[in-house]
């Protein structure tokens, strides 16, 4: 029997960290679906057609090089508005979700479009300022040459593009549990997420 945990939310809300940790805690496989869009976005930087890139994407590409740069994040959110790009990535995500032993998928449209039947749905949010500060510290730690103001502007731009697109916009599923991490430590947020999942097992 499959057991799917869908975790959605905007950038730097903590969903990546929470997803990885709950997957480890419950012994589930984990897929960060943002990596799919990032890998497609990276390919478009050298002029490749995004739909072509999405249709020919391989699992190995998700592990090649650093996909977590600000430039690739912007490229990802641009290709993510294209319905044919999203359609080309559906099967891979759904088969991952249905694998034996269960899975955690995190992204923007997992609970609404990819896995509407997921046993658990979480929507992890935090204020744009808190998210921008977290992302800034992450990027600065990697030695990136960015300012707080730039990161906040980037976060707001990406939020708007993700929430306002017509195909699979970022939004909580009607039956999602909301988890606002603005005033929570990682440990406290994780504890809450684990409690929600435990309640559905
Ligand atoms: O989560 P991450 O920041 O890595 O995602 C990069 C971009 O990919 C997002 O801004 C969003 O535009 C897109 N994305 C999406 N649907 C998903 C996951 C990511 O549209 N399920």
């Amino acid at each position: 029997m499959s057991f799917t945990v869908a975790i959605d939310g905007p950038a730097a809300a903590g969903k990546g960290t929470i997803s990885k940790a709950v997957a480890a805690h419950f012994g589930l496989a984990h897929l960060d679906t943002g990596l799919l869009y990032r890998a497609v976005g990276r390919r478009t930087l050298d002029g490749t057609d995004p739909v072509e890139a999405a249709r020919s994407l391989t699992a190995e590409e998700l592990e090649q090089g650093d996909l977590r740069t600000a430039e690739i994040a912007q490229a990802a959110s641009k290709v993510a508005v294209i319905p044919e790009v999203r359609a080309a990535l559906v099967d891979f995500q759904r088969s991952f979700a249905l694998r034996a032993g269960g899975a955690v998928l995190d992204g923007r449209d997992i609970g609404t479009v990819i896995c509407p039947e997921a046993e658990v749905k979480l929507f992890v949010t935090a204020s744009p300022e808190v998210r921008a500060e977290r992302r800034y510290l992450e990027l600065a730690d990697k030695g990136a040459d960015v300012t707080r103001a730039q990161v906040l502007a980037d976060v707001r731009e990406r939020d708007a593009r993700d929430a306002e697109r017509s195909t699979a916009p970022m939004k909580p599923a009607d039956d999602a549990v909301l988890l606002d991490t603005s005033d929570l430590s990682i440990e406290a947020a994780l504890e809450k997420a684990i409690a929600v999942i435990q309640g559905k097992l």
Side-chain angles (χ1 to χ4, degrees):
M1 201 194 75
S2 71
F3 182 81
T4 308
V5 179
I7 304 187
D8 291 303
K15 67 182 181 334
T17 309
I18 291 174
S19 301
K20 230 180 276 163
V22 297
H25 183 89
F26 292 102
L28 306 167
H30 171 226
L31 178 64
D32 168 0
T33 66
L35 286 180
L36 302 174
Y37 295 90
R38 286 173 183 260
V40 174
R42 174 174 59 188
R43 285 239 237 139
T44 64
L45 295 177
D46 66 13
T48 304
D49 174 69
V51 178
E52 196 39 55
R55 288 185 180 151
S56 61
L57 194 68
T58 62
E60 291 73 51
E61 261 177 85
L62 306 181
E63 283 152 30
Q64 281 163 16
D66 186 10
L67 291 170
R68 294 180 198 288
T69 67
E71 186 190 23
I72 292 178
Q74 286 295 340
S77 81
K78 287 180 188 157
V79 302
V81 305
I82 305 168
E84 292 85 356
V85 165
R86 307 198 68 85
L89 302 176
V90 168
D91 285 351
F92 180 80
Q93 296 175 82
R94 288 204 178 131
S95 17
F96 193 97
L98 296 176
R99 64 168 57 195
V104 179
L105 279 77
D106 73 278
R108 302 291 187 289
D109 63 340
I110 308 303
T112 50
V113 175
I114 302 297
C115 304
E117 311 293 336
E119 279 74 12
V120 185
K121 296 180 187 176
L122 278 171
F123 194 84
V124 182
T125 56
S127 72
E129 290 75 16
V130 167
R131 290 188 287 115
E133 180 65 17
R134 289 177 187 162
R135 185 49 52 92
Y136 169 76
L137 293 174
E138 233 173 72
L139 292 170
D141 190 50
K142 284 201 285 186
D145 182 21
V146 287
T147 65
R148 287 185 160 81
Q150 265 167 3
V151 176
L152 179 59
D154 264 19
V155 160
R156 287 191 191 280
E157 188 187 330
R158 210 140 65 86
D159 281 359
R161 208 182 284 125
D162 289 346
E164 288 161 18
R165 67 178 175 232
S166 46
T167 307
M170 168 176 71
K171 65 169 182 207
D174 292 339
D175 51 350
V177 174
L178 298 186
L179 181 55
D180 188 328
T181 67
S182 302
D183 300 316
L184 295 180
S185 65
I186 284 292
E187 293 74 24
L190 186 55
E191 214 171 284
K192 290 199 178 209
I194 288 176
V196 172
I197 299 168
Q198 196 76 55
K200 310 266 179 154
L201 278 176

